[in-house]
């Protein structure tokens, strides 16, 4: 049954791609896309759609792809998604739309993500952006943070006629799409194209604006004339393990490591001025997508040995299966059931990572197996640099300067999940700033919900 | 883009620029810093705010030409623009009930100590300023400092201005002469701040130092600026840059400051080649 298998995605060869920063997955050709689209059974009850946080009309766009009507397919996706070329690349489809695909019962689900990417890329290359003139309603909304949540919220509000300004703390808009996710997984020109589409719709973007410092949320609402605000500031505060030696030279947070590489192009040093030091042996601690991005960057920067150090087993890894597979193909050595306990240094520089072996225990209430250290199992790994990719939490800058915004113990904004409304009137929040570190598409879903709520709030206020 | 309205060469290696950034000028306070990026290939580099003028909408920074970015920055002139300029970042200095204060600036640190002295002077405190330089040719902003303190002591390592000695020697001399400081602010090279902190610890005088490690975003995101204070890891960008000098682990801060030394040298070579290119082109 040929139909049980998806059309394979062409990739750069692992031995070639682990030496460059170009995109790994090359994308379907039109022929491949049509063939894959024809696998869609066009189920009446559309199970795939319930797996999509932004409710893309999946069977509808796939049917158009099958007919070779790519631009029409793009329009269907664009009705509900602000960033299709991004989602087609970085969404965990296996846990969302594709998880519910009926094709997946007997074989492989339809490659919805790959088709979305194909359609979005086709549009960027061949399509026309018709900028419909939108009648302005004269109301101003401030969006704080230009990551996936903020951009989605901005796009939806602009379509409804709002005067939208996005404030970004860094010098480039895009948030984690620019500073976090590497070029080889999400080319920055793609992200920029999606952002340019928003500015063409009239969305204003102000970079170098740290809200909480240069302006507070209250000032935006009271002095700068904004009628409502959305906070999508992400989870930008890096966690460390709090073990000895973590402040040695050569120890990075994943945020610092990835920002140097992705946002500041340290992989092009000295053409670009920002340096990065990795040495020959690199250990990345963690098991999520950020850890996978970090190991794969390290190998591309020319490290001879790159280790992924994770305290649980592969089964418990939060990273996408595809990312794990890619990392392995690129020569990353997985050191599983291994937990760092101390970093040893010499003259202020990292030399060795002392680890202890772990064993799996019972499942916790969330169903994830716990681990415990095995006595007297300590051992050393020779390393020149260590990257801590063990999670991030929300940045306190806005929380600390807006006392009437309720946050929880983890520092996340408390919102009504249905509406994204915070404890402060006219202020909405979504994405990692609310959930803690999660995915691009969940952030986009929250941005969408918030846009709808802001629209309702401002209409009722009249 | 952020326009340079004024440029002043303070000595062979130190330059002052006044940049038009009205939103930052409106909020800036002593002790805070900005991060700039000169051009699209540029690094993000933090500079402590040396002065600000809310009415003119300007922020002044004073920099020493040490690496690629500062070399590049120094090639810009009045009317030229800086691509990115973001701030005010960090926590503003707080001076509650300070009556007698010694403000110490080492080399370029004098430029950062200046706004603190200015503010304390304005708040009515008695301010002694001690500034230290290697020799008299390197002395900067002497007149500016004079205007914001009761006594200014300019020290040189080689005695070429007639006042030989380190800032710590002058400070100890003043303490022993009966000056009753309730606060010492020390800003300058790490070794200087360490020496001042060790001295004041002996005398039990509260001491604030300003840390300026390598950082990227300046908002708590990268964690590159972490330092050890009182046994805990702190981020200089959001927890500082002011810290209790008696609690800062200067030795680890000194080691961390060497992290990108090699790259700094490369950056310097790259930008000096570029500048030679300019010279030859003329």
């Amino acid at each position: 049954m040929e139909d049980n298998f998806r059309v394979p995605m062409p990739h750069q060869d692992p031995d070639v791609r682990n030496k460059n920063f170009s995109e790994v997955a090359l994308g379907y050709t039109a022929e491949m896309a049509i063939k894959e689209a024809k696998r869609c059974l066009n189920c009446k009850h559309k199970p795939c759609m319930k797996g999509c946080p932004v409710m893309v009309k999946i069977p509808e766009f796939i049917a158009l792809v099958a007919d070779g009507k790519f631009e029409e397919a793009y329009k269907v996706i664009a009705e509900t998604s602000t960033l299709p070329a991004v989602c087609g690349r970085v969404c965990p489809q296996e846990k969302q739309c594709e998880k519910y695909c009926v094709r997946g019962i007997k074989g492989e689900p339809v490659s919805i993500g790959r088709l979305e990417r194909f359609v979005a890329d086709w549009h960027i290359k061949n399509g026309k952006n018709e900028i419909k003139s939108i009648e302005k309603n004269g109301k101003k909304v401030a969006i704080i943070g230009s990551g996936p949540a903020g951009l989605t919220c901005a796009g939806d509000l602009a379509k409804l006629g709002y005067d939208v300004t996005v404030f970004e703390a860094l010098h480039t808009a895009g948030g984690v799409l620019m500073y976090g996710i590497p070029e080889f997984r999400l080319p920055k020109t793609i992200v920029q194209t999606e952002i340019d589409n928003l500015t063409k719709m009239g969305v204003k973007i102000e970079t170098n604006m740290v809200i909480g410092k240069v302006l507070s949320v209250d000032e935006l609402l009271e002095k700068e004339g904004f009628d409502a605000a959305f906070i999508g500031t992400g989870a930008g505060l890096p966690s460390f393990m709090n073990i000895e030696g973590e402040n040695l030279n050569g120890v990075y947070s994943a945020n610092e490591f990835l920002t140097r590489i992705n946002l500041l192009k340290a992989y092009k040093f000295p053409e670009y001025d920002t340096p990065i030091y990795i040495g020959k042996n690199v250990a990345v601690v963690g098991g999520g997508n950020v850890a996978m991005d970090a190991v794969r960057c390290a190998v591309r920067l020319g490290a001879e040995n790159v280790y992924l150090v994770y305290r649980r087993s592969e089964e418990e890894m939060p990273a996408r299966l595809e990312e794990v597979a890619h990392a392995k193909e690129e020569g990353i050595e997985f050191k599983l059931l291994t937990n760092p306990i101390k970093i040893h240094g010499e003259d202020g520089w990292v030399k060795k990572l002392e680890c202890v072996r772990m064993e799996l225990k019972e499942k916790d209430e969330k169903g994830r197996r716990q681990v415990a250290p095995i006595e007297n199992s300590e051992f050393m790994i020779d390393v020149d640099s260590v990257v801590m990719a063990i999670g991030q939490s929300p940045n306190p800058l806005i929380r600390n300067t807006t006392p009437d915004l309720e946050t929880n113990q983890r520092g996340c904004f408390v919102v009504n999940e249905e509406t994204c409304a915070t404890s402060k009137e006219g202020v909405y929040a979504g994405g990692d700033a609310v959930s803690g570190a999660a995915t691009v598409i969940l952030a986009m879903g929250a941005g969408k919900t918030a846009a709808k709520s802001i629209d309702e709030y401002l209409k009722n206020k009249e | 883009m952020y326009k340079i309205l004024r440029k002043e060469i303070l000595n062979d290696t130190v330059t002052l620029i006044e940049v038009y950034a009205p939103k930052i000028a409106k909020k800036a306070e002593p002790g805070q810093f900005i991060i700039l990026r000169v051009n699209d290939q540029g690094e993000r580099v933090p500079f402590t705010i040396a002065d600000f003028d809310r009415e003119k909408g300007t922020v002044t920074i004073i920099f020493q030409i040490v690496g690629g970015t500062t070399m590049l920055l120094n090639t810009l002139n009045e009317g030229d623009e800086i691509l990115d300029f973001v701030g005010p970042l960090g926590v503003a200095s707080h001076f509650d009930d300070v009556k007698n204060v010694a403000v110490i600036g080492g080399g370029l640190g004098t430029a950062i100590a200046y706004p603190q002295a200015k503010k304390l002077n304005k708040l009515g405190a008695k301010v002694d300023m001690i500034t230290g330089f290697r020799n008299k040719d390197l002395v900067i902003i002497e007149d500016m400092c004079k205007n914001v303190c009761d006594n200014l002591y300019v020290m040189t390592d080689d005695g070429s201005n007639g006042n030989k000695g380190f800032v710590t020697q002058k400070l100890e001399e003043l303490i022993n002469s009966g000056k009753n400081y309730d606060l010492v602010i020390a800003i300058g090279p790490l070794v200087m701040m360490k020496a001042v902190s060790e001295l004041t610890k002996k005398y039990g005088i509260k001491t604030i130092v300003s840390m300026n490690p390598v950082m990227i975003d300046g908002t708590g995101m990268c964690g590159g600026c972490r330092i050890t204070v009182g046994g805990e890891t702190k981020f200089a960008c959001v927890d500082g840059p002011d810290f209790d000098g008696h609690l800062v682990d200067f030795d680890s801060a000194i080691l961390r400051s060497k992290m990108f030394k090699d790259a700094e040298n490369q950056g310097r070579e790259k930008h000096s080649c570029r500048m030679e290119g300019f010279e030859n082109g003329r």
Side-chain angles (χ1 to χ4, degrees):
Chain A
M1 281 293 288
E2 201 199 339
D3 270 358
N4 278 343
F5 297 97
R6 42 172 75 185
V7 176
M9 178 67 130
H11 284 97
Q12 271 199 78
D13 185 74
D15 263 347
V16 174
R17 73 183 192 230
N18 63 12
K19 294 168 196 74
N20 69 52
F21 273 83
S22 305
E23 193 168 17
V24 167
L26 301 171
Y28 278 164
T29 60
E31 206 184 0
M32 290 173 185
I34 291 170
K35 191 176 170 203
E36 180 65 17
K38 285 185 173 160
R39 292 182 63 230
C40 177
L41 301 169
N42 206 354
C43 309
K44 272 217 175 75
H45 62 303
K46 306 177 176 40
C48 47
M49 275 181 70
K50 78 170 185 210
C52 177
V54 300
M55 297 288 277
V56 168
K57 293 174 185 163
I58 295 165
E60 208 173 302
F61 99 75
I62 291 182
L64 289 163
V65 175
D67 283 348
K69 296 176 178 164
F70 305 138
E71 185 64 14
E72 284 88 338
Y74 176 80
K75 281 183 188 147
V76 169
I77 299 174
E79 276 176 42
T80 55
S81 173
T82 318
L83 311 165
V86 173
C87 291
R89 288 173 165 83
V90 303
C91 267
Q93 291 98 5
E94 67 279 7
K95 290 180 189 159
Q96 297 176 350
C97 51
E98 293 177 11
K99 183 177 166 183
Y100 301 98
C101 178
V102 171
R103 277 272 178 215
I105 299 168
K106 280 190 178 163
E108 292 179 333
V110 175
S111 298
I112 302 168
R114 293 171 182 177
L115 290 172
E116 182 183 29
R117 169 187 163 156
F118 167 78
V119 168
D121 287 0
W122 192 92
H123 171 79
I124 288 173
K125 223 170 149 190
N126 309 297
K128 273 195 208 117
N129 269 324
E130 297 156 31
I131 308 293
K132 282 182 236 150
S133 63
I134 305 157
E135 203 181 317
K136 293 271 177 196
N137 64 18
K139 295 216 175 76
K140 281 173 75 184
V141 181
I143 308 284
I144 307 166
S146 67
L151 292 178
T152 303
C153 192
D156 281 15
L157 287 170
K159 281 182 203 159
L160 292 168
Y162 289 92
D163 180 355
V164 181
T165 305
V166 180
F167 295 98
E168 166 57 45
L170 289 168
H171 55 259
T172 302
V176 73
L177 307 175
M178 282 295 191
Y179 76 74
I181 303 175
E183 178 78 20
F184 55 82
R185 209 148 73 75
L186 179 63
K188 301 307 147 212
T189 48
I190 298 275
V191 183
Q192 195 55 53
T193 308
E194 303 271 34
I195 293 170
D196 291 345
N197 286 339
L198 288 179
T199 50
K200 279 180 204 153
M201 273 165 52
V203 172
K204 284 169 265 182
I205 296 183
E206 286 198 34
T207 53
N208 295 328
M209 291 292 282
V210 182
I211 302 303
K213 285 287 174 192
V214 71
L215 285 172
S216 67
V217 173
D218 287 324
E219 284 171 313
L220 288 174
L221 296 173
E222 287 158 22
K223 291 189 185 159
E224 302 289 318
F226 288 97
D227 299 292
F230 172 75
I231 307 173
T233 44
L237 214 67
S239 304
F240 287 93
M241 293 188 77
N242 297 319
I243 57 174
E244 201 180 324
E246 232 169 358
N247 290 354
L248 287 163
N249 289 346
V251 183
Y252 299 92
S253 71
N255 270 356
E256 179 181 2
F257 188 73
L258 292 173
T259 304
R260 280 180 182 273
I261 295 166
N262 301 322
L263 181 72
L264 294 156
K265 313 251 180 289
Y267 63 92
K268 293 183 181 169
F269 183 85
E271 180 196 344
Y272 281 73
D273 290 343
T274 303
I276 187 137
Y277 167 85
I278 57 156
K280 282 184 186 164
N281 304 306
V282 183
V284 174
V285 182
N289 288 323
V290 174
M292 297 304 148
D293 285 344
V295 286
R296 296 175 70 196
C297 281
V299 77
R300 283 164 173 76
L301 287 167
E304 286 169 21
N305 298 296
V306 182
Y307 310 108
L308 183 105
V309 179
Y310 181 53
R311 63 193 179 125
R312 300 174 201 254
S313 72
E314 193 169 326
E315 211 175 302
E316 285 81 29
M317 275 189 179
R320 288 185 68 192
L321 294 175
E322 189 186 331
E323 304 308 322
V324 174
H326 279 156
K328 283 184 175 171
E329 286 164 18
E330 290 167 13
I332 311 302
E333 191 180 318
F334 282 41
K335 292 191 178 285
L336 303 170
L337 289 166
T338 300
N339 200 30
I341 50 172
K342 184 178 171 180
I343 306 169
H344 297 260
E346 205 178 289
D347 302 327
W349 285 87
V350 170
K351 279 285 167 234
K352 288 175 195 298
L353 186 65
E354 185 175 348
C355 298
V356 62
R357 293 196 200 284
M358 308 291 278
E359 59 185 344
L360 287 168
K361 296 280 182 191
E362 298 303 304
K363 285 182 180 175
D364 64 9
E365 65 270 21
K366 283 182 194 156
R368 203 152 83 139
R369 290 190 68 175
Q370 294 297 295
V371 278
I374 300 171
E375 246 178 82
N376 301 320
S377 66
E378 293 82 1
F379 67 103
M380 297 280 195
I381 308 172
D382 286 337
V383 288
D384 302 297
S385 55
V386 176
V387 180
M388 291 294 174
I390 55 166
Q392 298 94 237
S393 55
N395 194 301
L397 280 179
I398 289 185
R399 179 171 86 214
N400 291 348
T401 50
T402 320
D404 48 346
L405 263 180
E406 195 189 330
T407 52
N408 66 18
Q409 281 179 330
R410 293 180 301 148
C412 303
F413 295 108
V414 176
V415 299
N416 174 334
E417 275 177 35
E418 309 267 291
T419 63
C420 288
T422 66
S423 55
K424 190 176 171 70
E425 197 196 321
V427 180
Y428 296 74
D432 285 4
V434 167
S435 59
T439 61
V440 167
I441 189 72
L442 284 173
M444 287 178 59
K448 258 193 129 45
T449 305
K452 198 165 152 260
S453 308
I454 289 171
D455 182 43
E456 281 165 17
Y457 164 73
L458 291 176
K459 274 186 181 148
N460 289 333
K461 219 180 148 189
E462 275 169 13
Chain B
M1 300 288 272
Y2 303 82
K3 195 179 244 180
I4 298 173
L5 297 188
R6 184 165 73 94
K7 179 179 179 180
E8 197 182 324
I9 311 284
L10 300 183
N11 70 31
D12 283 354
T13 60
V14 178
T15 302
L16 172 152
I17 52 173
E18 192 175 343
V19 179
Y20 186 66
K23 285 178 185 151
I24 303 174
K26 205 171 153 190
K27 282 290 178 76
E29 291 290 345
Q32 292 189 294
F33 64 96
I34 57 95
I35 285 184
L36 62 76
R37 199 170 68 121
V38 180
N39 60 26
D40 200 41
Q41 280 80 43
E43 261 187 290
R44 292 173 65 96
V45 182
F47 294 92
T48 308
I49 294 169
D51 208 354
F52 50 85
D53 187 323
R54 300 206 205 281
E55 266 147 45
K56 273 163 73 189
T58 59
V59 171
T60 300
I61 60 166
I62 297 179
F63 59 92
Q64 188 150 23
I65 303 151
V66 283
T69 297
T70 42
M71 280 175 134
L72 188 63
L73 193 57
N74 199 43
T75 62
L76 301 182
N77 290 308
E78 287 174 5
D80 290 345
E81 289 178 323
I82 297 168
L83 182 59
D84 297 299
F85 200 80
V86 57
L89 300 167
V91 181
S93 306
H94 286 289
F95 312 111
D96 303 324
D97 291 333
V98 178
K99 291 187 185 70
N100 270 304
V101 60
V103 179
I104 302 171
L108 185 75
T110 305
I112 306 162
Y114 164 77
Q116 314 243 1
K118 186 175 169 185
K119 172 127 193 196
L120 283 158
N121 184 52
K122 213 171 145 191
L123 290 172
K126 268 187 91 70
V127 181
D128 283 351
M129 255 192 118
I130 310 168
T131 60
F133 303 90
R134 284 208 311 279
N135 62 54
K136 70 173 178 14
D137 295 331
L138 299 176
V139 175
I140 55 166
I141 62 171
E142 191 170 350
D143 289 336
M144 279 167 75
C145 291
K146 253 183 210 155
N147 288 330
V148 297
C149 65
D150 296 275
N151 301 294
L152 173 67
Y153 308 93
V154 181
M155 311 299 292
T156 47
D157 296 358
D158 66 353
S160 52
N161 73 337
N163 242 347
K164 188 177 158 84
F166 295 128
V167 291
T168 39
Q169 291 167 322
K170 185 45 116 186
L171 177 65
E172 189 156 29
E173 189 190 310
L174 291 168
I175 293 169
N176 288 334
S177 76
K179 295 258 188 182
N180 214 352
Y181 297 122
D182 43 26
L183 178 69
V184 170
I185 296 173
I187 302 172
L190 290 166
V191 283
M192 183 215 92
M193 294 194 286
K194 183 186 175 190
V196 171
S197 298
E198 280 169 357
L199 177 73
T200 54
K201 197 168 186 176
K202 208 168 76 183
Y203 290 97
I205 307 170
K206 187 183 168 189
T207 299
I208 293 172
V209 297
S210 177
M211 306 296 283
N212 189 20
V214 169
M215 60 179 75
I216 297 189
D217 58 294
T219 62
M221 192 186 102
C222 76
C225 64
R226 58 197 189 277
I227 54 172
T228 310
V229 181
E232 279 177 54
T233 294
K234 297 279 180 193
F235 290 179
C237 67
V238 285
D239 299 320
D242 286 358
F243 290 99
D244 182 337
H246 297 158
L247 296 179
V248 171
D249 179 347
F250 285 103
D251 293 336
S252 82
I254 289 166
L255 288 170
R256 273 190 79 72
S257 72
K258 293 175 182 154
M259 173 117 181
F260 291 105
K261 272 281 175 277
D262 288 352
E264 228 169 68
N265 293 337
Q266 271 192 67
R268 196 156 42 224
E269 272 164 38
K270 170 185 160 185
H271 288 290
S272 58
C273 294
R274 220 185 247 176
M275 275 184 284
E276 273 160 29
F278 282 132
E279 297 284 315
N280 295 339
R282 272 179 204 157

